[in-house]
Amino acid sequence: SFFDATPSGQIVNRFLQDMANIDQFVPDKVLDQLKKTLTMITQFALVLYFAPYVLVSLPIIVIPYYYIFKVVRIAARDTRRIEAIAHSPVYTQFQDVISGKACIRAYGAERRFEFWNSMLVEKMGTGRYANEAVNKWAQALSTQLGCVFYLSCGCACVVLAYKEKISSAQLGLVLLYANQLQRALMDYLMGLASLETNFVSVERIAEYSRLEKEEEIFEERCSQDVQLEEHTPNYWPSEGRISIKNVRMRYLLHRKLVLNDLSFEIPGGFKVAICGRTGCGKSTAISILMRLYPISHGQILIDGIDISTFHLNDLRKSIRVVTQDPVLLVGTIRSNIVGEDSDDEVTEEDIWKALCQVQLAEKVKALGLDFEIQEGGTNLSVGERQLLCTARAIVRRGGKDPKVLLCDEATANIDLASDEKVHNVLLGDNNKATVLMICHRLQHIQKFDMVIIMGSGKVIETGSPTELLKDSNSELCRLVNDSGKT
Ligand SMILES: Nc1ncnc2c1ncn2[C@@H]1O[C@H](COP(=O)(O)OP(=O)(O)OP(=O)(O)O)[C@@H](O)[C@H]1O
Ligand SMILES: [Mg+2]
């Protein structure tokens, strides 16, 4: 839910600008400030040793310096914070524009986006400008105060020289150091304010490093009274029996429940279709089986074992999923099917078998298994991406076929003939896995053993498709009639 609630621009901003600040500026500035402190102490000591009368002028200088520093540090830090925050929307808009450039051009909205971009950049500049203005204000005042210090040193030296308590060589030395000190005082003050300003980046990164890890959130919320299993047992899942009991779930606190007392039982090896209107919570039901989001009430059992008792990695390794958005990573077709860090052995034969099952073997034969996939899989069509994701989900890993397969509209963008063949493979008798498939297109509905119709986050109808289709009052009949297909 962190990624749902946090704009990507904000995350990118912290990893780019703030990390660079911490790596490059903060250590240098800390060292620099230490050096300046030591230099100032020695210069001060020397001036005071030869011309102790200068001490009289110190309150005149120190009090205004303190005042300037007090004002400038808060203003500089806050303007820096405003500037840092204003960076994030610029990055977010940049990403949006890059991914939606075709739409922007198609609707002739370039001017609107240019205007929007310049507004955001201007806002970012306002923070920077304010930060510079505050610094210049402090610089101007502290330079004038430095002159007061230099003047008082000069006067003290004249008095001492008049009384013949200081030689002309010593007088020259004091004036030389007093001149340097005048500048050093200003630098020191500005350095201190700027160091504090740069610590805004440390504060922003620290906020992210203190975020709870996914596993910790689950362990805390789901398993208060459950002992976590060391690993998923070797035999699990053996049948693929899925049982969801009174599950309630909401994405954000204070928002309405997306799953509201969702309950169903699926026997092992059953092929189940989940149908329902858009937004009724079908994808959410799949995501809680992977523990992508924590549930606030209820229990999910696979083969009789509560899935909250497993470590996340172990659980996710045991369940295969094809999501609504086909996600491919930069790499080759092979690496996308096998997975870079997969411990389970996947043989070449397994890969080709999976590709054949999803009707992609011909295409991949032409390209080769080492065909490079670009960022987001943009050099493949959406349907091909879906099929490749399906192959990734059904491939044998470590000599084992999947036991639980979750498909979220896995064939939504595929031509009817290929769609039919993929359905035949996934729903055929040769596939022993329990298959949970979310479908909007209902032409294959009779191939399933069971249909679950969802509405407003709960099950409103369940049964075998043949029986439900016989009953003209059933919800399934209504959905089929609405979609105009049987
Ligand atoms: N990441 C999220 N953050 C907040 N709310 C969400 C999130 N994802 C979904 N929702 C909300 O939860 C509800 C159920 O969404 P879900 O994606 O499960 O619907 P769905 O049945 O899969 O719809 P579709 O058929 O369009 O895929 C919707 O009202 C949606 O607005
Ligand atoms: Mg969905």
Side-chain angles (χ1 to χ4, degrees):
S1 56
F2 167 79
F3 290 102
D4 292 332
T6 315
S8 56
Q10 187 175 320
I11 303 172
V12 171
N13 185 15
R14 292 200 188 188
F15 276 93
L16 287 180
Q17 218 209 349
D18 292 319
M19 280 306 261
N21 249 348
I22 293 176
D23 285 345
Q24 291 166 12
F25 298 115
V26 173
D28 282 354
K29 285 228 156 110
V30 170
L31 267 181
D32 201 36
Q33 208 57 21
L34 271 176
K35 249 189 331 200
K36 278 183 193 159
T37 313
L38 292 176
T39 318
M40 257 184 48
I41 290 173
T42 42
Q43 286 173 340
F44 238 126
L46 196 124
V47 169
L48 290 182
Y49 177 75
F50 287 113
Y53 293 158
V54 173
L55 258 182
V56 181
S57 68
L58 273 193
I60 309 173
I61 305 161
V62 170
I63 295 170
Y65 260 123
Y66 173 72
Y67 169 75
I68 298 171
F69 181 66
K70 209 173 123 187
V71 172
V72 84
R73 65 180 269 261
I74 296 171
R77 196 187 51 204
D78 287 355
T79 47
R80 172 78 182 82
R81 214 174 259 153
I82 292 171
E83 188 205 338
I85 291 170
H87 268 93
S88 306
V90 177
Y91 288 130
T92 307
Q93 198 238 14
F94 185 67
Q95 280 179 348
D96 284 353
V97 169
I98 294 286
S99 56
K101 57 186 182 303
C103 260
I104 295 172
R105 283 199 194 124
Y107 286 97
E110 293 97 333
R111 295 295 298 271
R112 182 150 55 90
F113 279 85
E114 264 171 38
F115 176 70
W116 183 22
N117 179 265
S118 61
M119 289 256 294
L120 292 173
V121 172
E122 202 170 300
K123 206 167 162 199
M124 191 169 82
T126 313
R128 176 109 204 132
Y129 181 76
N131 190 265
E132 288 292 327
V134 169
N135 287 341
K136 290 290 170 228
W137 173 81
Q139 244 172 26
L141 278 188
S142 53
T143 311
Q144 284 164 16
L145 274 172
C147 291
V148 173
F149 176 75
Y150 195 41
L151 179 73
S152 63
C153 280
C155 293
C157 285
V158 169
V159 173
L160 287 169
Y162 183 69
K163 288 185 180 173
E164 294 185 350
K165 285 192 178 165
I166 189 168
S167 70
S168 52
Q170 287 168 342
L171 189 145
L173 187 74
V174 169
L175 283 184
L176 179 74
Y177 274 114
N179 184 24
Q180 285 177 3
L181 204 54
Q182 173 210 346
R183 230 204 123 66
L185 268 171
M186 184 193 78
D187 275 357
Y188 184 75
L189 187 82
M190 297 315 298
L192 216 57
S194 138
L195 186 63
E196 190 170 351
T197 304
N198 276 300
F199 265 91
V200 170
S201 298
V202 179
E203 170 193 292
R204 283 159 58 88
I205 296 281
E207 189 193 330
Y208 274 7
S209 66
R210 281 196 291 262
L211 286 175
E212 259 183 308
K213 288 191 190 131
E214 199 184 9
E215 185 90 45
E216 284 166 11
I217 296 174
F218 277 100
E219 280 172 20
E220 202 175 292
R221 292 197 204 163
C222 306
S223 316
Q224 276 146 353
D225 46 8
V226 187
Q227 189 65 36
L228 274 183
E229 302 274 343
E230 233 357 87
H231 287 291
T232 49
N234 266 343
Y235 55 84
W236 187 90
S238 52
E239 297 171 53
R241 224 172 348 112
I242 300 174
S243 162
I244 293 191
K245 296 182 180 170
N246 305 100
V247 166
R248 287 188 210 141
M249 182 266 176
R250 49 164 59 88
Y251 280 100
L252 296 168
L253 214 62
H254 311 306
R255 289 279 177 85
K256 76 176 183 45
L257 286 168
V258 174
L259 298 182
N260 191 0
D261 273 327
L262 179 76
S263 301
F264 56 77
E265 295 268 347
I266 299 173
F270 257 47
K271 313 290 182 259
V272 180
I274 302 186
C275 309
R277 309 263 171 210
T278 289
C280 67
K282 303 180 296 295
S283 301
T284 311
I286 294 250
S287 67
I288 56 157
L289 278 166
M290 303 292 294
R291 273 176 49 195
L292 290 180
Y293 295 93
I295 54 176
S296 56
H297 181 268
Q299 214 181 15
I300 304 166
L301 308 169
I302 297 184
D303 283 351
I305 306 181
D306 187 337
I307 61 165
S308 69
T309 59
F310 294 127
H311 286 283
L312 268 185
N313 272 348
D314 292 341
L315 172 75
R316 289 181 188 167
K317 261 191 206 165
S318 313
I319 296 177
R320 311 283 186 86
V321 67
V322 189
T323 55
Q324 202 162 7
D325 287 331
V327 179
L328 294 178
L329 303 174
V330 174
T332 58
I333 292 184
R334 186 197 305 274
S335 73
N336 267 281
I337 293 180
V338 178
E340 297 282 355
D341 53 354
S342 169
D343 315 326
D344 296 325
E345 198 207 347
V346 180
T347 63
E348 189 107 353
E349 197 190 331
D350 294 333
I351 298 178
W352 284 113
K353 188 177 164 208
L355 288 171
C356 272
Q357 286 175 323
V358 300
Q359 311 299 311
L360 214 53
E362 290 295 310
K363 170 89 189 173
V364 177
K365 255 181 210 151
L367 298 172
L369 271 181
D370 292 317
F371 174 76
E372 288 288 336
I373 291 178
Q374 285 172 3
E375 188 185 340
T378 43
N379 52 345
L380 292 179
S381 77
V382 183
E384 284 163 353
R385 278 182 245 166
Q386 276 191 327
L387 292 176
L388 210 52
C389 289
T390 311
R392 173 167 63 196
I394 62 173
V395 73
R396 270 170 85 86
R397 291 181 189 276
K400 282 190 204 158
D401 281 318
K403 274 286 167 210
V404 177
L405 182 63
L406 312 174
C407 302
D408 195 346
E409 307 226 30
T411 53
N413 298 297
I414 294 159
D415 66 276
L416 290 179
S418 306
D419 181 29
E420 169 109 32
K421 286 180 190 155
V422 174
H423 270 85
N424 289 343
V425 169
L426 295 182
L427 306 177
D429 290 338
N430 286 340
N431 183 10
K432 301 284 179 241
T434 307
V435 178
L436 231 75
M437 195 182 283
I438 295 179
C439 345
H440 271 143
R441 298 202 298 204
L442 300 173
Q443 69 268 42
H444 301 293
I445 203 74
Q446 282 182 313
K447 293 181 183 152
F448 289 89
D449 300 317
M450 182 177 164
V451 181
I452 293 175
I453 314 263
M454 283 182 66
S456 312
K458 57 174 94 169
V459 174
I460 52 173
E461 189 174 272
T462 167
S464 94
T466 329
E467 278 168 26
L468 291 177
L469 285 174
K470 274 185 205 153
D471 177 3
S472 56
N473 289 326
S474 71
E475 198 61 36
L476 181 64
C477 258
R478 226 165 284 151
L479 280 178
V480 171
N481 289 339
D482 285 355
S483 68
K485 295 209 169 77
T486 47

